[in-house]
Amino acid sequence: MTSSEPDPGLRTLKKQRTRQTIADVAIALFLDRGFDQVSVAEIASAAEVSKPTLFRYFASKEELVLHRFADHLGEAGRVVRERAAGLTPLDALERHHRERLAARDPNTGLNDTPEVVAFLRLVYETPSLSAHLRDYVDADTRALAEALDPEGRMAARLLAAQYTSVRQLLARSTWTRLAAGQDVDAVARLAADDTTEAFALLRDGAATRGF
């Protein structure tokens, strides 16, 4: 590489910063005015990029918001594949979920930071975002089913679907309590109780399917 050629590492860093800036600007506008009231053209203008540039980083308007869930895509499958010896898949998933609750992971709904509560409200209360979120959940379900049984048995696919549905329900229930103004420590205790009940029910079904 000659001295006149840009450093590939710097190019990558610039792209990452541009992507983050576009997303941050978009989410700020959405939170201020509502998802449906903000156009892609307005976002591009506020972020000081062209619309084609914006779409090079984000394939759709919805992805400007939902990309925050991308880091967790396939997480359940990884937890199952990398679980310690002696743990059943559900044991590993429950342990992971409780660890995420303890860490106040926004994806569990148990985070009372005003920005997080507002962001999840945007996702849950905007129909197009909720619909597109299901695409992420479906992909996560498929990855978990494959981790449970690479041969693709129906039992594994059913358990994966049940788990991801339960996980979404737990997160939304927890967020709803925080959004209503309940104390975060009290909500944390309720979330732990809900987790116990949910996984007990999952285990009842899993035991009959060999998991």
Side-chain angles (χ1 to χ4, degrees), residues 144-167:
L144 176 56
E146 184 176 353
L148 288 167
D149 180 11
E151 295 183 2
R153 285 184 299 159
M154 178 60 72
R157 289 153 55 195
L158 286 171
L159 179 57
Q162 289 170 341
Y163 167 76
T164 52
S165 295
V166 164
R167 183 188 61 195

Side-chain angles (χ1 to χ4, degrees), residues 78-89 91-93 95:
R78 288 193 296 273
V79 168
V80 167
R81 286 193 303 273
E82 298 170 7
R83 70 188 186 276
L87 284 183
T88 68
D91 288 341
L93 290 167
R95 176 179 294 183

Side-chain angles (χ1 to χ4, degrees), residues 114-144:
E115 292 81 5
V116 172
V117 174
F119 174 80
L120 291 176
R121 184 186 302 279
L122 175 70
V123 173
Y124 290 143
E125 297 185 356
T126 303
S128 62
L129 290 174
S130 294
H132 278 74
L133 180 60
R134 286 196 289 273
D135 294 336
Y136 283 82
V137 175
D138 288 346
D140 210 30
T141 300
R142 291 192 295 273
L144 176 56

Side-chain angles (χ1 to χ4, degrees), residues 42-53:
E42 289 176 290
I43 297 166
S45 177
E48 299 182 342
V49 299
S50 66
K51 281 180 63 176
T53 296

Side-chain angles (χ1 to χ4, degrees), residues 167-184:
R167 183 188 61 195
Q168 293 303 109
L169 177 61
L170 289 173
R172 183 154 188 169
S173 296
T174 298
W175 168 80
T176 298
R177 290 166 177 150
L178 290 178
Q182 294 186 36
D183 175 73
V184 67

